[in-house]
Amino acid sequence: MKHVEFFEELRKEDVAIAGGKGANLGELTQAGIPVPPGFVVTSKTYDQFMKETGIFDGIMDILDALDVNNNKELQASSVRIKKIMTETRMPDEIKIIIIEAYNALCHRIGKDDVFVAIRSSATAEDLPEASFAGQQDTYLNIRGNEDVVEYVQKCWASLFESRAIFYREENDFDHSKVYIAVVVQEMVDAEKAGVMFTVHPSTGEEKILIEAAWGLGEGVVSGTVTPDTCWYDKEKNEILDYKISNKKVMFKRDPDTGHTVMVDVPENLSEKRVLSTDEISQLADLGKRIHNHYNFPQDTEWAIEDGKIYMLQSRPVTTLNMNNAESQTEEGSDERIIIAKGLGASPGMASGAVKIVRNTDELDKIEEGDILVTVMTTPDMVPAMKRADGIITDEGGVTCHAAIVSRELGIPCVVGTGDGSKILKENSIVTLDGSKGFVYEGKLKTEDTDYGEETPTTAIIQNQLITVTEVKVNVSMPEAAKKASETGADGVGLLRTEHMMLALGVHPKKFITDGKEDELVKALVENILKVADAFYPKTVWYRTLDAPTDEFKSLQGGENEPYEHNPMLGWRGIRRELDEPEILKAEFKAIKKLHEEGYTNIGVMLPLVQHPDELKEAKRIAREVGLKPQKTIEWGIMVETPGAALTIEDFIAEGIDFVSFGTNDLTQYTLAIDRNNEHVAGLYSERHPAIMKLIAMVIKECNKAGVKTSICGQAGSMPDIVEQLVELGITSVSANTDAVATVREVVARVEKKLVLKAARKLMQE
Ligand code: PEP
Ligand code: MG
């Protein structure tokens, strides 16, 4: 086995020495496909480097001792190993071989210091075909002997990126038996580039999909750029559809530094069609040749420089789902390969094609059944979220926008994957598990979760358990109210206003300053009505606006939102509404109107109170508008701050009908953990004893005073916490739509236990 092999010497069978990428480039070259010239630093060279320098055993020891589920430890070990890998001097013999190969490449091309792309291509000893795609690094526009050597070594080190270590552990690959080859290939300074699937990537239909954008292909592959899309009929040799996208950015080689940079697409090109008809037919021809050569559908990357087409990569489309819709639920793989991990935010399994959404211009690409992948969802995305079968986000915890909306829509969702939108590949098929928070490669065999007409919730209604402690439901989107009411919940324990406001697209303050308060009131009436109607005559607690400045910035008129270092501790909740009473008044006016129309089932709940004066002032404003707190309308506060919990008797003295524990906030404020900060997410837990201590205190005081108690934070959907709350004598529990049935069962069981206990005690007396 040689240290380096030029593409002409490699075949597709050489995966063990050249990795999948290297072996396929060899195969394409030998098949006469135009591939930029290059060579592979084989896996043997990596192995020799590891053994000869003596670093292998030490690295394996670090990995042996590592608990990959401890994220901090994983990151630290990865940094340590990569440091060893890059700082260890490469033996001269290996260095010389790489430099000689690079010089031979330059000589062949007829230029000095040719720019090359340096790409990792990992391979497993036992399973050379295993896919490690996207886990190791690629470096573009590298040139010169020293840099080429340095970046080859960096590729080797990237075998120990934390995500690669995690992936191997989760999928039982032995670290010591995974090797890495490195492809060194002439860089195409593309004027346009993209990807091509030689069949429909999810259905396997015989039509070619080409995605194209300006500049280097990195933009398309990473999903940063929304490319033009072209569908091509393989049989008739004709374009079926060409959709021009608005291409905002592109990647190119900086002529001064040689580095790859992202720049704005010149205005005259952004909405211009990238590919000519001739280029499309040339690409399609190449696609068909490659497909026929492998006798299997291919997922390829291509680039065009000076009008010449180059194929940069080809690999089998392994995630095809050739079956029709009916048979899809039975088919699928048993092999569970985890490719991303986050928090399970909305339960259920879903498989489909990944569609990465970077901005709202790209929402149209989400079709029924796709998996929407994004950094974080926004209200603008809700229509696309409804079309999707699953949602994956980089950021967020279980109370973020994506989590709340997907739970209400009943769509499986994984949030907080960190880099899901970077590592998942556009159009690849994945399966997500919204309970465990895992994203698996390909379509897995899953239970058929399509319950048809007979949904689990309707089944519960037919077999309704009666509980004394009311089981309510949280609603954030009026359009999800009907589904929420079908759970048989005893009312809405939290109707959030933020999602309704955000969906309007205009900052509520702007309605007021534009003299359009009546429009704001009308929109609120329409939205609240949907919920009040779906639940009538059961109570709906409308929570007044809790608008954090960072979340409302994106709205029209939101540019005036102040910048805050920590919006979670800042200008939100009732404190903000008392500073901007016009918005609060508009909300109260909407509720008054609905009360006048007979919807007296609506109560008011104030968020984030910390002092009784806030409650007093809000009641005064309500009276100004014509509402009569505690007389004709139920009035309550959320207990979300330790301050409110510890002085609950003062709030009771000021006058309230109910309190509801907002444990999402109560947890963050009690433990000093920003609920939106993923760096401290590991410490965030509603199960910290301090939270239950505060809750117990409040329930006790409220029960003494005849004030109702409830919970509407995420903890109200957690069976173990609900159990304790029922034992403490809480009046109601408000859960997520998907959790109502379980919570009802828990409540019924605990109540039965308490009744039995009391009865036994009585009998003994
Ligand atoms: C809470 O804080 O628990 C709560 C229900 O309110 P939100 O999540 O909207 O802040
Ligand atoms: Mg809250």
Side-chain angles (χ1 to χ4, degrees), residues 55-124:
I55 58 177
F56 179 81
D57 290 340
I59 289 176
M60 292 305 136
D61 287 347
I62 297 175
L63 292 171
D64 278 349
L66 169 66
D67 168 10
V68 287
N69 289 313
N70 179 332
N71 194 40
K72 265 200 209 122
E73 214 185 284
L74 175 63
Q75 302 295 341
S77 302
S78 163
V79 169
R80 222 173 118 201
I81 298 175
K82 284 188 294 182
K83 195 164 180 312
I84 300 173
M85 293 287 298
T86 50
E87 289 181 359
T88 299
R89 199 184 135 74
M90 191 187 287
D92 284 344
E93 183 206 357
I94 301 179
K95 210 168 164 176
I96 289 165
I97 290 169
I98 295 172
I99 292 174
E100 279 177 353
Y102 173 64
N103 288 334
L105 179 68
C106 294
H107 182 70
R108 237 166 85 176
I109 295 165
K111 282 193 234 158
D112 286 341
D113 286 351
V114 163
F115 278 107
V116 287
I118 300 193
R119 301 175 193 272
S120 311
S121 189
T123 175

Coordinates of all heavy atoms in Angstrom, one line a residue, residues 55-124:
I55 N 1.9 8.7 19.4 CA 0.8 9.4 20.0 C -0.5 8.5 20.1 O -1.4 8.8 20.8 CB 0.5 10.7 19.3 CG1 0.1 10.5 17.8 CG2 1.6 11.7 19.4 CD1 -0.3 11.8 17.1
F56 N -0.5 7.4 19.3 CA -1.7 6.6 19.2 C -2.2 6.1 20.6 O -3.4 6.4 20.9 CB -1.4 5.4 18.3 CG -2.6 4.5 18.1 CD1 -3.6 4.8 17.2 CD2 -2.7 3.3 18.9 CE1 -4.6 3.9 17.0 CE2 -3.7 2.4 18.7 CZ -4.7 2.8 17.8
D57 N -1.4 5.5 21.4 CA -1.8 4.9 22.6 C -2.4 6.0 23.6 O -3.4 5.8 24.2 CB -0.7 4.2 23.3 CG -0.4 2.9 22.6 OD1 -1.2 2.4 21.8 OD2 0.8 2.4 22.7
G58 N -1.7 7.1 23.7 CA -2.2 8.2 24.6 C -3.5 8.7 24.2 O -4.4 8.9 25.0
I59 N -3.8 8.8 22.9 CA -5.1 9.3 22.4 C -6.1 8.3 22.7 O -7.2 8.6 23.1 CB -5.0 9.6 20.9 CG1 -4.1 10.9 20.7 CG2 -6.4 9.8 20.3 CD1 -3.8 11.3 19.3
M60 N -5.8 7.0 22.5 CA -6.8 6.0 22.8 C -7.2 5.9 24.3 O -8.3 5.7 24.6 CB -6.4 4.6 22.3 CG -6.3 4.5 20.8 SD -7.8 4.9 20.0 CE -7.2 5.9 18.6
D61 N -6.1 6.2 25.1 CA -6.4 6.3 26.5 C -7.4 7.4 26.9 O -8.3 7.2 27.7 CB -5.1 6.5 27.3 CG -4.2 5.2 27.3 OD1 -4.8 4.1 26.9 OD2 -3.0 5.3 27.7
I62 N -7.2 8.6 26.2 CA -8.1 9.7 26.5 C -9.5 9.3 26.1 O -10.5 9.5 26.8 CB -7.6 10.9 25.7 CG1 -6.3 11.4 26.1 CG2 -8.7 12.1 25.9 CD1 -5.7 12.6 25.3
L63 N -9.6 8.6 25.0 CA -11.0 8.2 24.5 C -11.6 7.2 25.4 O -12.8 7.2 25.7 CB -10.9 7.8 23.1 CG -10.5 8.8 22.0 CD1 -10.3 8.2 20.7 CD2 -11.6 9.9 21.9
D64 N -10.7 6.3 25.9 CA -11.3 5.2 26.8 C -11.9 5.8 28.0 O -12.9 5.3 28.5 CB -10.1 4.3 27.2 CG -9.9 3.2 26.1 OD1 -10.7 3.1 25.2 OD2 -8.8 2.5 26.2
A65 N -11.2 6.8 28.5 CA -11.7 7.4 29.8 C -12.9 8.4 29.6 O -13.4 8.8 30.6 CB -10.5 8.1 30.5
L66 N -13.2 8.6 28.4 CA -14.2 9.7 28.1 C -15.7 9.2 28.2 O -16.0 8.1 27.7 CB -14.0 10.2 26.7 CG -15.0 11.2 26.1 CD1 -15.1 12.5 26.9 CD2 -14.7 11.5 24.6
D67 N -16.5 10.1 28.9 CA -18.0 9.8 28.9 C -18.5 10.8 27.8 O -18.6 12.0 28.1 CB -18.5 10.1 30.3 CG -20.1 10.2 30.3 OD1 -20.7 9.8 29.2 OD2 -20.6 10.6 31.3
V68 N -18.9 10.3 26.7 CA -19.3 11.2 25.6 C -20.6 11.9 25.9 O -20.9 12.9 25.2 CB -19.4 10.5 24.2 CG1 -18.1 10.1 23.6 CG2 -20.4 9.3 24.3
N69 N -21.3 11.4 26.8 CA -22.6 12.1 27.1 C -22.4 13.4 28.0 O -23.3 14.1 28.3 CB -23.6 11.2 27.8 CG -24.1 10.2 26.7 OD1 -24.4 10.6 25.6 ND2 -24.1 9.0 27.0
N70 N -21.2 13.5 28.5 CA -20.8 14.7 29.3 C -20.2 15.7 28.3 O -19.0 15.5 27.9 CB -19.8 14.3 30.4 CG -19.4 15.5 31.2 OD1 -19.4 16.6 30.7 ND2 -19.1 15.3 32.4
N71 N -21.0 16.6 27.9 CA -20.6 17.5 26.8 C -19.3 18.2 27.1 O -18.5 18.4 26.2 CB -21.7 18.5 26.5 CG -21.5 19.1 25.1 OD1 -21.1 18.5 24.2 ND2 -21.8 20.4 25.1
K72 N -19.2 18.7 28.3 CA -17.9 19.5 28.6 C -16.7 18.6 28.5 O -15.7 19.0 27.9 CB -18.1 20.0 30.1 CG -18.6 21.4 30.2 CD -18.2 22.0 31.5 CE -19.3 23.0 31.9 NZ -19.9 22.7 33.1
E73 N -16.8 17.4 29.0 CA -15.7 16.4 28.9 C -15.4 16.1 27.5 O -14.2 16.0 27.1 CB -16.2 15.2 29.7 CG -15.1 14.5 30.4 CD -15.6 13.2 31.0 OE1 -16.3 13.3 32.0 OE2 -15.3 12.1 30.4
L74 N -16.5 15.9 26.7 CA -16.3 15.6 25.3 C -15.5 16.7 24.5 O -14.6 16.5 23.8 CB -17.7 15.4 24.6 CG -17.7 15.1 23.1 CD1 -17.0 13.8 22.7 CD2 -19.2 15.0 22.6
Q75 N -16.0 17.9 24.8 CA -15.3 19.1 24.1 C -13.9 19.2 24.5 O -13.0 19.3 23.7 CB -16.0 20.4 24.4 CG -17.5 20.5 24.1 CD -17.7 20.4 22.6 OE1 -16.9 20.7 21.8 NE2 -18.9 20.1 22.3
A76 N -13.6 19.0 25.8 CA -12.3 19.2 26.4 C -11.3 18.1 25.8 O -10.2 18.3 25.4 CB -12.3 19.1 27.9
S77 N -11.9 16.8 25.7 CA -11.0 15.7 25.2 C -10.7 16.0 23.7 O -9.6 15.7 23.2 CB -11.7 14.4 25.3 OG -12.0 14.2 26.7
S78 N -11.7 16.5 23.0 CA -11.5 16.7 21.6 C -10.5 17.8 21.4 O -9.5 17.6 20.6 CB -12.9 17.1 20.9 OG -12.7 17.8 19.7
V79 N -10.5 18.8 22.1 CA -9.5 19.9 22.0 C -8.1 19.3 22.3 O -7.1 19.6 21.6 CB -9.9 21.1 23.0 CG1 -8.7 22.1 23.1 CG2 -11.1 21.8 22.5
R80 N -8.1 18.5 23.4 CA -6.8 18.0 23.8 C -6.2 17.1 22.7 O -5.0 17.2 22.4 CB -7.0 17.1 25.1 CG -5.9 17.3 26.1 CD -6.3 16.6 27.4 NE -5.3 15.6 27.7 CZ -5.6 14.6 28.5 NH1 -6.8 14.4 29.0 NH2 -4.6 13.7 28.7
I81 N -7.0 16.2 22.2 CA -6.5 15.3 21.1 C -6.1 16.1 19.9 O -5.0 15.8 19.3 CB -7.5 14.2 20.8 CG1 -7.9 13.4 22.0 CG2 -7.1 13.3 19.6 CD1 -9.0 12.4 21.8
K82 N -6.9 17.0 19.5 CA -6.6 17.8 18.3 C -5.3 18.6 18.4 O -4.5 18.7 17.5 CB -7.7 18.7 17.9 CG -8.9 18.0 17.3 CD -10.0 18.9 16.7 CE -10.6 19.7 17.8 NZ -11.7 20.6 17.4
K83 N -5.0 19.0 19.7 CA -3.8 19.7 19.9 C -2.6 18.8 19.8 O -1.6 19.1 19.1 CB -3.9 20.3 21.4 CG -2.8 21.3 21.7 CD -3.3 22.0 23.0 CE -2.4 23.1 23.5 NZ -1.0 22.9 23.6
I84 N -2.8 17.6 20.3 CA -1.7 16.6 20.2 C -1.4 16.3 18.7 O -0.3 16.3 18.2 CB -2.0 15.2 20.9 CG1 -2.2 15.5 22.4 CG2 -1.0 14.2 20.6 CD1 -2.8 14.3 23.2
M85 N -2.5 16.1 18.0 CA -2.5 15.7 16.6 C -1.8 16.8 15.7 O -1.0 16.5 14.8 CB -3.9 15.5 16.0 CG -4.6 14.3 16.5 SD -4.0 12.7 15.9 CE -4.2 12.8 14.2
T86 N -2.1 18.1 16.0 CA -1.5 19.1 15.2 C -0.2 19.6 15.6 O 0.6 20.1 14.8 CB -2.5 20.3 15.1 OG1 -2.8 20.7 16.4 CG2 -3.7 20.1 14.3
E87 N 0.1 19.4 16.9 CA 1.4 19.9 17.4 C 2.5 18.8 17.3 O 3.7 19.1 17.4 CB 1.3 20.4 18.8 CG 0.5 21.7 18.8 CD 0.4 22.3 20.2 OE1 0.9 21.7 21.2 OE2 -0.2 23.4 20.3
T88 N 2.2 17.6 17.0 CA 3.2 16.5 16.9 C 3.9 16.7 15.5 O 3.2 16.9 14.5 CB 2.5 15.1 17.0 OG1 1.9 15.0 18.3 CG2 3.6 14.0 16.8
R89 N 5.2 16.7 15.5 CA 5.9 16.9 14.3 C 5.7 15.7 13.3 O 5.8 14.6 13.7 CB 7.4 17.0 14.6 CG 8.2 17.7 13.6 CD 9.7 17.7 14.0 NE 10.5 17.3 12.8 CZ 10.8 18.1 11.8 NH1 10.3 19.3 11.8 NH2 11.5 17.6 10.8
M90 N 5.4 16.0 12.1 CA 5.2 15.0 11.1 C 6.5 14.4 10.7 O 7.4 15.2 10.4 CB 4.5 15.6 9.9 CG 4.0 14.5 8.9 SD 3.3 15.2 7.4 CE 1.8 15.9 7.9
P91 N 6.7 13.1 10.7 CA 8.0 12.5 10.3 C 8.4 13.0 8.9 O 7.5 13.1 8.0 CB 7.7 11.0 10.3 CG 6.5 10.8 11.3 CD 5.7 12.0 11.1
D92 N 9.7 13.3 8.8 CA 10.2 13.8 7.5 C 9.8 13.0 6.3 O 9.4 13.5 5.2 CB 11.7 14.0 7.5 CG 12.0 15.2 8.4 OD1 11.1 16.0 8.6 OD2 13.2 15.3 8.8
E93 N 9.9 11.7 6.5 CA 9.6 10.8 5.4 C 8.2 11.0 4.8 O 8.0 11.1 3.6 CB 9.7 9.3 5.8 CG 9.5 8.3 4.7 CD 9.0 6.9 5.3 OE1 8.8 6.8 6.5 OE2 8.7 6.1 4.4
I94 N 7.2 11.1 5.7 CA 5.8 11.4 5.3 C 5.7 12.7 4.6 O 5.1 12.9 3.6 CB 4.9 11.2 6.5 CG1 5.0 9.8 7.1 CG2 3.5 11.5 6.0 CD1 4.1 9.6 8.3
K95 N 6.3 13.7 5.3 CA 6.2 15.1 4.8 C 6.8 15.2 3.4 O 6.1 15.8 2.5 CB 7.1 15.9 5.7 CG 6.7 17.3 5.9 CD 7.5 18.0 7.0 CE 7.4 19.4 7.0 NZ 8.0 20.0 8.2
I96 N 7.9 14.5 3.1 CA 8.5 14.6 1.8 C 7.6 14.0 0.7 O 7.4 14.5 -0.3 CB 9.9 14.0 1.8 CG1 10.8 14.9 2.6 CG2 10.5 13.7 0.4 CD1 12.1 14.2 3.1
I97 N 7.0 12.9 1.1 CA 6.1 12.2 0.2 C 4.9 13.1 -0.2 O 4.6 13.2 -1.4 CB 5.6 10.8 0.8 CG1 6.8 9.8 0.8 CG2 4.5 10.2 -0.1 CD1 6.5 8.6 1.6
I98 N 4.4 13.7 0.8 CA 3.2 14.6 0.5 C 3.7 15.8 -0.4 O 3.0 16.1 -1.4 CB 2.6 15.1 1.8 CG1 2.0 14.0 2.6 CG2 1.5 16.2 1.5 CD1 1.5 14.3 4.0
I99 N 4.8 16.4 -0.1 CA 5.3 17.5 -0.9 C 5.6 17.1 -2.3 O 5.3 17.8 -3.3 CB 6.5 18.2 -0.2 CG1 6.1 18.8 1.1 CG2 7.2 19.2 -1.1 CD1 7.2 19.4 2.0
E100 N 6.2 15.9 -2.4 CA 6.5 15.5 -3.8 C 5.3 15.3 -4.6 O 5.2 15.6 -5.8 CB 7.3 14.2 -3.7 CG 8.8 14.4 -3.4 CD 9.6 13.2 -3.3 OE1 9.0 12.1 -3.3 OE2 10.9 13.3 -3.2
A101 N 4.3 14.7 -4.0 CA 3.0 14.5 -4.7 C 2.4 15.8 -5.1 O 1.9 16.0 -6.2 CB 2.0 13.7 -3.8
Y102 N 2.4 16.8 -4.2 CA 1.9 18.1 -4.5 C 2.6 18.8 -5.7 O 2.1 19.3 -6.6 CB 1.9 19.0 -3.3 CG 1.5 20.4 -3.5 CD1 0.2 20.7 -3.9 CD2 2.4 21.5 -3.3 CE1 -0.2 22.0 -4.1 CE2 2.0 22.8 -3.6 CZ 0.7 23.1 -4.0 OH 0.3 24.4 -4.2
N103 N 4.0 18.6 -5.6 CA 4.8 19.2 -6.7 C 4.5 18.5 -8.0 O 4.4 19.2 -9.1 CB 6.3 19.2 -6.4 CG 6.6 20.2 -5.3 OD1 5.8 21.2 -5.1 ND2 7.6 19.9 -4.4
A104 N 4.3 17.2 -8.0 CA 4.0 16.5 -9.2 C 2.6 17.0 -9.8 O 2.5 17.1 -11.0 CB 3.9 15.0 -8.9
L105 N 1.7 17.2 -8.9 CA 0.4 17.7 -9.3 C 0.6 19.1 -10.0 O 0.0 19.4 -11.1 CB -0.6 17.8 -8.1 CG -2.0 18.4 -8.4 CD1 -2.8 17.4 -9.2 CD2 -2.7 18.6 -7.1
C106 N 1.3 20.0 -9.3 CA 1.6 21.3 -9.9 C 2.2 21.2 -11.3 O 1.8 21.9 -12.3 CB 2.5 22.2 -9.0 SG 1.8 22.5 -7.4
H107 N 3.2 20.3 -11.4 CA 3.9 20.1 -12.6 C 2.9 19.7 -13.7 O 2.9 20.2 -14.9 CB 5.0 19.0 -12.4 CG 5.8 18.8 -13.6 ND1 6.7 19.7 -14.1 CD2 5.8 17.7 -14.5 CE1 7.3 19.2 -15.2 NE2 6.7 18.0 -15.5
R108 N 2.0 18.8 -13.4 CA 1.1 18.3 -14.4 C 0.1 19.4 -14.9 O -0.2 19.5 -16.0 CB 0.2 17.2 -13.7 CG 0.2 15.9 -14.4 CD -0.3 14.9 -13.6 NE -1.8 14.8 -13.8 CZ -2.5 13.9 -13.2 NH1 -1.9 13.0 -12.4 NH2 -3.8 13.9 -13.4
I109 N -0.3 20.2 -13.9 CA -1.2 21.3 -14.3 C -0.4 22.4 -15.0 O -1.0 23.2 -15.8 CB -1.9 21.8 -13.0 CG1 -2.8 20.7 -12.4 CG2 -2.7 23.1 -13.3 CD1 -3.2 20.9 -11.0
G110 N 0.9 22.5 -14.8 CA 1.7 23.4 -15.4 C 1.8 24.8 -14.7 O 2.0 25.8 -15.4
K111 N 1.5 24.8 -13.4 CA 1.6 26.0 -12.6 C 2.3 25.8 -11.3 O 2.3 24.6 -10.8 CB 0.1 26.5 -12.3 CG -0.6 27.1 -13.4 CD -1.9 27.8 -12.8 CE -3.1 27.4 -13.5 NZ -4.3 27.5 -12.8
D112 N 2.9 26.8 -10.8 CA 3.5 26.7 -9.5 C 2.4 26.9 -8.4 O 1.5 27.6 -8.6 CB 4.6 27.7 -9.2 CG 5.8 27.4 -10.1 OD1 6.0 26.2 -10.5 OD2 6.6 28.3 -10.3
D113 N 2.7 26.3 -7.3 CA 1.8 26.5 -6.1 C 0.3 26.6 -6.5 O -0.4 27.6 -6.2 CB 2.2 27.8 -5.4 CG 3.5 27.7 -4.6 OD1 4.0 26.5 -4.5 OD2 4.0 28.7 -4.2
V114 N -0.1 25.5 -7.1 CA -1.5 25.4 -7.5 C -2.4 25.4 -6.2 O -2.1 24.9 -5.2 CB -1.7 24.1 -8.2 CG1 -3.2 23.7 -8.3 CG2 -1.1 24.1 -9.6
F115 N -3.6 26.1 -6.3 CA -4.5 26.1 -5.2 C -5.2 24.7 -5.2 O -5.6 24.2 -6.2 CB -5.6 27.1 -5.4 CG -5.3 28.5 -5.0 CD1 -5.0 29.5 -6.0 CD2 -5.2 28.8 -3.7 CE1 -4.6 30.8 -5.6 CE2 -4.9 30.1 -3.2 CZ -4.6 31.1 -4.2
V116 N -5.3 24.1 -4.0 CA -5.9 22.8 -3.9 C -7.0 22.9 -2.8 O -7.0 23.7 -1.9 CB -4.9 21.7 -3.5 CG1 -4.0 21.3 -4.7 CG2 -4.1 22.1 -2.3
A117 N -7.9 21.9 -2.9 CA -8.9 21.7 -1.9 C -8.4 20.4 -1.1 O -8.0 19.5 -1.7 CB -10.3 21.4 -2.5
I118 N -8.4 20.5 0.2 CA -7.9 19.4 1.0 C -9.1 18.9 1.8 O -9.7 19.6 2.7 CB -6.8 19.8 1.9 CG1 -5.6 20.3 1.0 CG2 -6.3 18.7 2.8 CD1 -4.3 20.5 1.6
R119 N -9.5 17.6 1.5 CA -10.7 17.1 2.1 C -10.5 15.8 2.9 O -9.7 15.0 2.4 CB -11.8 16.8 1.0 CG -12.2 17.9 0.2 CD -13.1 17.5 -1.0 NE -13.2 18.5 -2.0 CZ -14.2 19.4 -2.0 NH1 -15.0 19.5 -1.0 NH2 -14.2 20.3 -2.9
S120 N -11.1 15.7 4.0 CA -11.0 14.4 4.8 C -11.9 13.3 4.2 O -13.0 13.6 3.7 CB -11.5 14.7 6.2 OG -10.9 15.8 6.7
S121 N -11.5 12.1 4.3 CA -12.3 11.0 3.8 C -12.0 9.8 4.8 O -11.1 9.0 4.6 CB -11.8 10.7 2.4 OG -12.7 9.8 1.8
A122 N -12.9 9.7 5.8 CA -12.7 8.7 6.8 C -13.2 7.3 6.4 O -14.1 7.2 5.5 CB -13.4 9.1 8.1
T123 N -12.6 6.3 7.0 CA -13.0 4.9 6.6 C -12.8 4.0 7.8 O -11.9 4.2 8.6 CB -12.2 4.4 5.4 OG1 -12.5 3.1 5.2 CG2 -10.7 4.6 5.6
A124 N -13.7 3.1 8.0 CA -13.6 2.1 9.1 C -13.0 0.8 8.7 O -13.4 0.3 7.6 CB -15.0 1.9 9.8

